Amino acid sequence: MMKKKHILLSAVLPAIILLASSCSNYLDELPDNRTDLNTEQAIAKLLVSAYPITSFAMIGEMTSDNTDNNGGTWTSYNLLQEQLATWKNATEIENDSPEALWEDCYLAVATCNQALKAIEKMGNPASLNPQKGEALLCRAYAHFILVNVFCQHYSETNGTKDLGVFYATEPETTVLPSYERLSVAETYKRINKDIEEGLPLIDDAAYEVPKYHFNKKAAYAFACRFNLYYRNYVKVIEYAEKVLTSNPSAMLRDWQKAGKLSGNGAIRSNEFVSERNKATLLVIACRSSWAYIHGPYHVGEKYTHNNKISTTESCQANGPWGDKDTYYYDIPEFQGTTKVIMNKMYSYFEMSDPVNGIGYNHIMYPAFTTDEILLCRAEAYAMKKDFDKATEDLSIWLHAFTKSEKTIDRASISKFYGDMKYYTPEDPTPKKELHPDFTIESGEQENFIQAILHMRRILTMHEGLRWFDVKRYGIEIYRRTVYNGEITVNDKMPANDKRRAIQIPQDVINAGMEANPR
């Protein structure tokens, strides 16, 4: 039987193949054809494939302000890293490439739609509610990744004008269906619908290992982050409480214990993503070389999170807690390289051809953690000008992450970031000018947002989320070469730069989908 090639995923099939009579059966092929979807067990098994196996971490880190060009004779890992780090359209097709992410997200969506259709044909039995909930959450999550990577950020001003993505809700039944991109606002609306419908159906008892699926806390964590980006702050606070409970301190990572683990090999990184860790809510296995590229290896050293960024802007810059020596979790510079690393992810090799030594690099990606959700809630409080509540959350995070004995309060947070000068490429600081499409009052509110963005940048280092924070707040970022103590500015990306929407794959453009403007 001929294999169906999803038009959303890659190029249009040659016309001669589409017209061939031998293709008459392949339209009915399932995205995962290991079994027919005529039993509850088969549907549950299918949903293992409902999670994208490509991570956005490398895209997010290489395009954000967490990367500098280190100059000299340092080399990049591959052409993809070079293209992402220099804000070029990525033409390379690798495990971490935009094309791979696009394909895997839509493959995950196709799996969800097949499962939902099968559940519908079975009469939507209550016994399949957990599977229905998982399929809806996974469909929403894949589209959430797509719209945030390949589109401008959600905006109440331009959201109805900016190009979103095609929102797939039905299995394909035609050879060349027409795919039209929605607006960003409409894409968000449909994501929200799937989340709200799926949340009450999730049941942890349906999973052997809940943290490899959208368990209840992971589902609420996704809803929390989505609503933060959607700027529905009441829901952010509501869903965060379901994750953090009435005792958030007890739900956070034990950074003191984690910091005592060896940073060599996989010991610390394995613990970071372990399903046994209370702070880790959802772990996704991804094909990725990102652990090599950003990690303690002598590769990819031309474009890195380097000592200049670390000491002046991110994880080694001073904060209300003091300096980097107060961290439980040390963030060292890898000896002999330009990398400053927060050890989180380890590279695992899956052998697909043992004879020829061919296989895939994998990472276990921590999609949602309690610590990040706490900072999501702090941000929501700050946007609602409830600075006392925001201070409580920031204090909880600070005393979990650091051994600082400082007592921070509302006034000290505001003063620390209020007194800080704004970043320039030649004289960098953690505080960057914000140009969102929504109002942030100068003074206390902006100071709190600056504090939260600084803490988020440290906490989510190497995870790709900084790129979304840059987009959400319209932060102007630069491409610099930092070499021999000198800084050269090569490029800048202002708040309205069209390159903030990563270009969709060329094959998909060739198939007729509207490209992102450039």
Side-chain angles (χ1 to χ4, degrees):
M1 182 181 295
M2 297 185 66
K3 295 291 184 183
K4 178 179 178 180
K5 192 153 189 172
H6 200 299
I7 192 174
L8 281 170
L9 312 181
S10 193
V12 184
L13 292 172
I16 190 168
I17 296 177
L18 296 177
L19 296 174
S21 59
S22 59
C23 292
S24 59
N25 294 325
Y26 77 73
L27 289 176
D28 297 325
E29 186 177 358
L30 300 176
D32 182 332
N33 62 348
R34 291 171 297 180
T35 182
D36 292 330
L37 297 181
N38 52 15
T39 67
E40 295 184 5
Q41 184 179 12
I43 293 171
K45 186 177 180 181
L46 176 68
L47 288 171
V48 173
S49 303
Y51 299 82
I53 62 170
T54 296
S55 165
F56 57 80
M58 180 173 169
I59 297 172
E61 292 297 311
M62 284 293 108
T63 52
S64 79
D65 52 354
N66 282 341
T67 296
D68 268 337
N69 181 336
N70 297 299
T73 59
W74 298 112
T75 59
S76 55
Y77 181 77
N78 55 18
L79 181 57
L80 174 64
Q81 186 194 20
E82 182 92 19
Q83 290 173 332
L84 291 172
T86 55
W87 300 332
K88 303 291 192 302
N89 286 349
T91 59
E92 292 302 290
I93 302 174
E94 306 279 353
N95 287 338
D96 298 283
S97 65
E99 178 151 330
L101 182 66
W102 178 279
E103 290 196 4
D104 284 335
C105 282
Y106 276 116
L107 278 172
V109 169
T111 298
C112 297
N113 288 337
Q114 290 288 352
L116 290 167
K117 181 60 70 174
I119 292 170
E120 182 183 338
K121 288 182 177 178
M122 294 173 69
N124 288 305
S127 58
L128 278 171
N129 277 351
Q131 288 72 33
K132 183 177 181 180
E134 183 179 14
L136 288 167
L137 265 295
C138 285
R139 185 168 74 182
Y141 181 63
H143 285 110
F144 180 67
I145 294 172
L146 288 165
V147 74
N148 280 288
V149 171
F150 294 99
C151 308
Q152 297 293 340
H153 188 71
Y154 172 80
S155 160
E156 291 182 0
T157 304
N158 298 315
T160 58
K161 303 172 187 176
D162 289 332
L163 283 172
V165 295
F166 173 74
Y167 205 95
T169 57
E170 295 287 337
E172 290 180 7
T173 57
T174 60
V175 176
L176 288 177
S178 175
Y179 295 114
E180 292 186 8
R181 297 178 67 171
L182 305 174
S183 67
V184 171
E186 183 61 28
T187 305
Y188 262 67
K189 181 179 178 181
R190 297 194 187 192
I191 293 170
N192 187 57
K193 181 178 183 297
D194 276 351
I195 290 174
E196 293 299 321
E197 185 178 345
L199 274 177
L201 303 179
I202 296 295
D203 184 353
D204 291 2
Y207 309 127
E208 290 185 14
V209 185
K211 290 189 177 181
Y212 293 160
H213 301 265
F214 265 117
N215 57 79
K216 278 187 176 293
K217 284 190 180 296
Y220 283 120
F222 172 34
C224 179
R225 187 189 294 168
F226 167 77
N227 279 287
L228 183 70
Y229 290 14
Y230 206 17
R231 301 214 297 277
N232 190 335
Y233 302 121
V234 172
K235 283 193 173 182
V236 174
I237 295 165
E238 175 190 345
Y239 292 139
E241 186 169 346
K242 293 181 182 297
V243 175
L244 300 169
T245 73
S246 59
N247 186 13
S249 298
M251 301 304 298
L252 300 187
R253 189 177 304 278
D254 187 341
W255 292 99
Q256 183 176 13
K257 177 182 176 182
K260 293 177 181 178
L261 297 174
S262 172
N264 296 324
I267 296 174
R268 185 181 288 187
S269 52
N270 279 345
E271 173 61 23
F272 191 89
V273 298
S274 172
E275 73 278 3
R276 297 183 300 275
N277 196 306
K278 61 185 177 181
T280 303
L281 302 176
L282 175 64
V283 184
I284 302 176
C286 298
R287 288 181 178 176
S288 175
S289 298
W290 178 234
Y292 280 126
I293 295 168
H294 86 272
Y297 303 94
H298 291 279
V299 296
E301 296 150 307
K302 184 176 182 180
Y303 300 102
T304 65
H305 172 249
N306 59 20
N307 183 265
K308 187 65 174 180
I309 297 173
S310 178
T311 57
T312 60
E313 300 179 50
S314 62
C315 52
Q316 294 181 331
N318 289 354
W321 50 83
D323 61 26
K324 65 182 178 64
D325 292 333
T326 65
Y327 296 161
Y328 286 121
Y329 207 84
D330 63 306
I331 307 173
E333 183 172 351
F334 183 53
Q335 189 173 9
T337 75
T338 61
K339 301 177 181 181
V340 177
I341 305 163
M342 189 174 185
N343 206 329
K344 295 179 177 179
M345 288 170 266
Y346 187 76
S347 186
Y348 308 93
F349 191 74
E350 176 192 353
M351 192 74 72
S352 60
D353 183 351
V355 175
N356 295 305
I358 297 172
Y360 301 96
N361 293 320
H362 277 74
I363 61 171
M364 299 300 291
Y365 181 74
F368 297 99
T369 67
T370 55
D371 298 77
E372 192 249 342
I373 296 307
L374 181 70
L375 294 186
C376 287
R377 187 171 71 176
E379 185 178 334
Y381 281 136
M383 290 305 301
K384 288 174 63 64
K385 302 181 185 178
D386 191 341
F387 301 117
D388 290 332
K389 288 283 190 182
T391 301
E392 288 179 19
D393 280 349
L394 296 185
S395 181
I396 291 169
W397 181 82
L398 186 152
H399 287 108
F401 191 75
T402 78
K403 51 195 170 190
S404 172
E405 296 181 358
K406 290 186 177 182
T407 300
I408 60 169
D409 56 25
R410 178 172 167 175
S412 63
I413 293 172
S414 186
K415 177 174 172 50
F416 185 90
Y417 288 94
D419 289 347
M420 186 182 292
K421 61 186 177 183
Y422 283 103
Y423 168 100
T424 67
E426 300 79 11
D427 189 12
T429 72
K431 182 179 178 180
K432 302 195 173 184
E433 292 188 8
L434 309 178
H435 304 283
D437 79 317
F438 51 92
T439 300
I440 298 177
E441 293 182 359
S442 60
E444 188 170 28
Q445 187 173 46
E446 185 193 345
N447 295 337
F448 263 81
I449 294 300
Q450 294 285 359
I452 292 162
L453 287 173
H454 187 193
M455 294 178 190
R456 283 182 61 85
R457 191 174 184 183
I458 296 168
L459 177 70
T460 65
M461 184 62 61
H462 310 315
E463 296 174 30
L465 295 178
R466 173 63 179 179
W467 176 235
F468 303 144
D469 289 349
V470 166
K471 292 172 69 171
R472 291 191 301 127
Y473 280 96
I475 300 172
E476 182 173 270
I477 60 177
Y478 294 82
R479 276 296 165 261
R480 310 180 304 178
T481 297
V482 179
Y483 183 63
N484 280 345
E486 295 186 1
I487 295 175
T488 303
V489 177
N490 305 314
D491 198 357
K492 70 175 180 179
M493 182 181 285
N496 60 353
D497 199 299
K498 292 180 171 60
R499 293 173 295 178
R500 289 178 182 242
I502 301 296
Q503 187 58 272
I504 67 175
Q506 187 61 48
D507 285 348
V508 181
I509 297 171
N510 294 342
M513 184 170 285
E514 185 175 359
N516 287 329
R518 284 291 184 265

